[in-house]
């Protein structure tokens, strides 16, 4: 129990499951079925007169049998979607400490800007003379991204971080092809601690992946990189700050070794939130890096998108940037769409996510360069505040030392208690917190990766820390039952996540044939 200063006050609740309800609703949290389960096939939300009979002109292709679309009245349809939306925990509801995801507040000014008709309604095929403002914004955004990273070019079109990785690696492949070395340089170095998308990207475009072991302190050493280098290496893919929340201190030396060996340096920049305004990756030797606008620059994410993962490129890779890109000619802004000999091609049909560009630009302009730098500093400060608030109870795999934008704990402190990282995360749900990232990075046993971001106020961090401390005391008191039972207050308890991933049920089958349903109505 917590009082309103967030201090533990009374012994923890017991592991009892809450009482069942007749409706299966929990207080004003309403259960919701699938839309098909609601639907009565002959009901419609549209209130229009039957059309006059007229001769069909479908040449015998008219539908003969019902296809089973759910029928709902307008209020039923409304309630269905609102109830579903209320099941979705979001950054607008509370703290969302999901490490590596940078779940920061999305300022509403961004939304207002993205809804301006000139941005919201722009069509990718309209004449460029009528989309000058949108092109100006894309150009300005590119300029800010290049300024912040020290890059020479930027590809705006990739639609997510992983898509950006693909874009950057395709630029690297094009550069290697241009040197006539594609037959011999076919290996990409990836440290153990990399985000899973890194080796996946390299493999997807035909590179072999060679892993580089991490040091005992969680970082990658230039020595380990040198040991893995050879004339067959095309690139390294390194995350900085890495997925353990640590800055790769030997990054400059690593970059030098990579370049000496004739290879390129891809940096996974999804964690740019810790560096923005402080260090320019291209100055550190990076050749290509994606930036998740939907993390660092507060464009909304979760629920599958849309995201945007622009890729910045060094001078060496700039010639291979994909099409299209913006330029200026005698009549104003223009788009280069064809006839650029070294561009490797295109990543998407059109120009990328205009709504995300607008939101990111709005975030940048409303913060200013000093505000962006402060956002990085506050993100790092907040992560370290959480670290310091938990360090005496939770174990840190690489010792008690400062982290960057996220803090990593392992499960050593849980050893022998009968409580696992998963149990602990489920207990957090009962306390009203979205769990942290668990079991990632893989190099750490039972990892708990917490990223509070800069947008959490101190009171929210204090309550979060107090809650986690209270749970830790509960572990220490041996109240393991409550952890194994958790979550008891959620609409669903523990789901079989493995089975859901391995044998997903993607098709709803009606309990009885649709024709029977129709007959019964
Ligand atoms: C989020 C993330 C990615 C992937 O970004 P998506 O937009 O989800 O594709 C890649 N690497 C790291 C380190 C990340 O945190």
């Amino acid at each position: 129990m917590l009082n309103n200063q967030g201090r533990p006050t009374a012994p923890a609740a017991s592991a009892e499951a809450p009482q069942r309800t007749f409706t299966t609703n929990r207080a004003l949290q309403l259960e919701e079925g699938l839309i098909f389960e609601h639907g009565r096939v002959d009901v419609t939300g549209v209130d229009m007169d039957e059309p006059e009979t007229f001769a069909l002109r479908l040449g015998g292709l008219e539908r003969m049998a019902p296809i089973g679309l759910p029928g709902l009245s307008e209020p039923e349809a409304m309630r269905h979607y609102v109830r579903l939306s209320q099941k979705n925990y979001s950054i607008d509801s509370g703290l969302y400490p999901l490490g590596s995801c940078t779940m920061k507040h999305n300022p509403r000014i961004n939304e207002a800007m993205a809804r301006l008709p000139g941005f919201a309604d722009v069509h990718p095929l309209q004449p460029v003379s009528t989309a000058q403002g949108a092109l100006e914004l894309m150009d300005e955004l590119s300029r800010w991204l290049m300024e912040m990273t020290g890059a020479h070019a930027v590809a705006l079109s990739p639609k997510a971080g992983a898509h950006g990785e693909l874009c950057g690696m395709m630029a690297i492949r094009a550069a290697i092809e241009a040197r006539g070395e594609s037959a011999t340089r076919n290996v990409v170095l990836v440290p153990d601690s990399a985000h899973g998308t890194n080796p996946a990207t390299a493999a997807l475009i035909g590179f072999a992946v060679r892993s580089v072991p991490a040091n005992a302190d969680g970082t990658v050493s230039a020595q380990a990189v040198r040991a893995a280098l050879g004339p067959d290496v095309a690139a390294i893919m390194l995350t900085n700050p890495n997925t353990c929340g640590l800055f790769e201190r030997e990054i400059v030396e690593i970059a030098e070794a990579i370049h000496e060996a004739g290879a390129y340096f891809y940096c996974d920049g999804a964690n740019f939130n810790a560096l923005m305004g402080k260090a320019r990756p291209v100055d550190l030797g990076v050749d290509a890096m994606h930036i998740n606008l939907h993390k660092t620059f507060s464009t909304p994410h979760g629920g599958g998108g849309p995201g945007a993962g622009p890729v910045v490129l060094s001078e060496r890779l700039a010639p291979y940037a994909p099409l299209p890109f913006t330029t200026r000619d005698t009549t104003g802004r223009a788009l280069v769409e064809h006839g650029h000999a070294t561009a490797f091609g295109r990543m998407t049909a059109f120009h990328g996510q205009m709504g995300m560009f607008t939101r990111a630009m709005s975030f940048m302009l409303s913060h200013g360069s000093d505000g962006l730098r402060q956002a990085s500093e506050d993100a790092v400060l907040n992560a370290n505040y959480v670290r310091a608030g938990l360090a005496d109870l939770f174990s840190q795999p690489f010792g008690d030392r400062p982290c960057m934008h996220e803090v990593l704990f392992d499960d050593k402190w849980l050893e022998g208690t009968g409580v696992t990282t998963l149990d602990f995360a489920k207990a957090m749900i009962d306390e009203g917190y979205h769990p942290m990232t668990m079991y990632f990075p893989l190099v750490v046993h039972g990892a708990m990766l917490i990223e509070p971001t800069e947008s959490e106020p101190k009171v929210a961090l204090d309550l979060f820390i107090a809650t986690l401390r209270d749970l830790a005391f509960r572990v220490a008191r041996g109240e393991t039952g409550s952890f194994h039972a958790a979550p008891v207050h959620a609409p669903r308890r523990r789901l079989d996540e493995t089975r859901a991933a391995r044998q997903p049920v993607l098709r709803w089958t009606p309990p009885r044939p649709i024709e029977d349903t129709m007959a019964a109505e």
Side-chain angles (χ1 to χ4, degrees):
M1 294 299 273
L2 297 168
N3 66 17
N4 59 7
Q5 267 91 47
R7 300 207 184 87
T9 51
S14 78
E16 269 168 43
Q19 266 186 333
R20 280 172 168 282
T21 57
F22 174 71
T23 53
T24 66
N25 297 327
R26 295 255 167 109
L28 299 182
Q29 271 290 322
L30 304 188
E31 269 299 319
E32 187 58 19
L34 298 175
I35 197 166
F36 293 96
E37 288 166 340
H38 284 287
R40 299 175 308 282
V41 283
D42 59 339
V43 175
T44 166
V46 183
D47 190 9
M48 283 195 297
D49 292 338
E50 281 289 314
E52 302 262 312
T53 35
F54 57 89
L56 285 172
R57 283 174 289 175
L58 292 172
L61 294 177
E62 56 270 17
R63 184 180 298 141
M64 305 303 287
I67 55 170
L69 287 182
L72 276 84
S73 67
E74 184 175 318
E76 287 172 313
M78 184 56 131
R79 285 179 177 165
H80 173 70
Y81 288 108
V82 169
R83 285 175 187 164
L84 285 186
S85 76
Q86 288 171 336
K87 300 213 181 315
N88 194 10
Y89 186 83
S90 72
I91 186 65
D92 291 341
S93 350
L95 198 149
Y96 208 134
L98 203 57
S100 209
C101 295
T102 314
M103 304 301 288
K104 64 170 76 172
H105 171 64
N106 306 128
R108 282 339 188 234
I109 178 85
N110 299 357
E111 298 303 318
M113 296 302 109
R115 281 167 179 69
L116 291 174
F119 299 132
D121 302 336
V122 71
H123 191 282
L125 294 178
Q126 78 189 58
V128 288
S129 65
T130 64
Q132 289 291 301
L135 293 183
E136 183 84 35
L137 184 137
M138 288 164 70
D139 204 53
E140 184 73 6
L141 176 66
S142 304
R143 215 168 57 77
W144 278 68
L145 293 175
M146 290 192 287
E147 179 68 32
M148 273 186 265
T149 54
H152 281 72
V154 53
L156 287 183
S157 57
K159 296 197 174 175
H163 203 209
E165 288 174 37
L166 186 64
C167 174
M169 291 307 291
M170 285 171 82
I172 287 172
R173 192 176 61 177
I176 284 171
E177 263 165 27
R179 284 160 41 180
E181 294 182 340
S182 44
T184 48
R185 282 194 191 268
N186 47 22
V187 171
V188 170
L189 304 184
V190 181
D192 282 350
S193 57
H195 197 264
T197 49
N198 296 179
T201 300
L204 184 70
I205 57 171
F207 287 113
V209 173
R210 183 179 299 155
S211 80
V212 181
N215 281 345
D217 74 351
T219 61
V220 176
S221 72
Q223 200 191 344
V225 171
R226 272 203 206 91
L229 271 172
D232 55 349
V233 173
I236 188 169
M237 295 184 85
L238 187 77
T239 306
N240 198 20
N242 68 21
T243 54
C244 302
L246 303 172
F247 187 80
E248 292 290 357
R249 288 198 218 93
E250 297 189 17
I251 183 168
V252 172
E253 233 184 305
I254 291 172
E256 280 165 10
I258 290 290
H259 291 152
E260 267 163 38
Y264 295 94
F265 185 171
Y266 187 91
C267 182
D268 181 330
N271 296 336
F272 194 48
N273 210 40
L275 296 186
M276 165 176 70
K278 304 296 287 183
R280 306 200 310 168
V282 175
D283 295 347
L284 302 174
V286 167
D287 291 303
M289 181 179 95
H290 71 268
I291 295 173
N292 285 20
L293 298 186
H294 49 286
K295 291 179 182 169
T296 311
F297 298 105
S298 83
T299 72
H301 67 308
V311 176
V312 296
L313 298 167
S314 68
E315 196 169 8
R316 293 170 357 122
L317 286 183
Y320 307 100
L323 300 168
F325 47 83
T326 57
T327 172
R328 200 183 255 290
D329 63 17
T330 48
T331 57
R333 301 256 161 226
L335 272 173
V336 177
E337 299 241 40
H338 316 277
H340 189 272
T342 53
F344 75 71
R346 22 190 341 137
M347 293 302 292
T348 60
F350 297 115
H351 321 309
Q353 306 280 22
M354 194 67 212
M356 297 296 117
F357 300 160
T358 312
R359 289 175 176 92
M361 192 75 247
S362 166
F363 185 78
M364 290 174 186
L365 291 176
S366 56
H367 277 66
S369 58
D370 56 335
L372 293 177
R373 186 180 322 117
Q374 194 188 332
S376 295
E377 289 169 358
D378 291 349
V380 173
L381 183 64
N382 278 359
N384 280 288
Y385 188 74
V386 172
R387 186 182 59 77
L390 298 175
D392 58 329
L393 300 176
F394 290 57
S395 49
Q396 296 173 70
F398 307 113
D400 189 16
R401 61 188 174 105
C403 57
M404 296 293 283
H405 60 300
E406 54 194 352
V407 53
L408 177 63
F409 298 105
D410 61 15
D411 63 357
K412 211 172 197 77
W413 68 284
L414 289 172
E415 244 168 49
T417 64
V419 173
T420 64
T421 292
L422 181 78
D423 298 330
F424 193 84
K426 298 297 183 192
M428 283 172 70
I429 293 177
D430 276 338
E431 296 290 346
Y433 283 109
H434 192 287
M436 69 300 255
T437 291
M438 299 181 286
Y439 300 104
F440 174 85
L442 304 175
V443 285
V444 167
H445 200 268
M448 305 180 179
L449 186 62
I450 300 177
E451 180 178 11
T453 83
E454 74 278 10
S455 60
E456 291 305 326
K458 181 170 174 293
V459 282
L461 296 181
D462 284 337
L463 183 60
F464 178 66
I465 292 168
T467 308
L468 265 57
R469 292 185 69 83
D470 185 66
L471 290 175
F473 290 137
R474 216 190 280 173
V475 173
R477 286 196 301 267
E479 294 170 21
T480 44
S482 70
F483 286 90
H484 296 154
V488 292
H489 300 302
R492 294 291 179 278
R493 307 286 295 277
R494 294 221 186 176
L495 305 178
D496 187 345
E497 290 167 23
T498 311
R499 191 161 155 234
R502 298 252 161 97
Q503 299 163 12
V505 180
L506 300 176
R507 177 181 285 258
W508 179 75
T509 352
R512 53 194 169 131
I514 293 155
E515 287 76 6
D516 293 0
T517 318
M518 293 216 64
E521 294 288 336

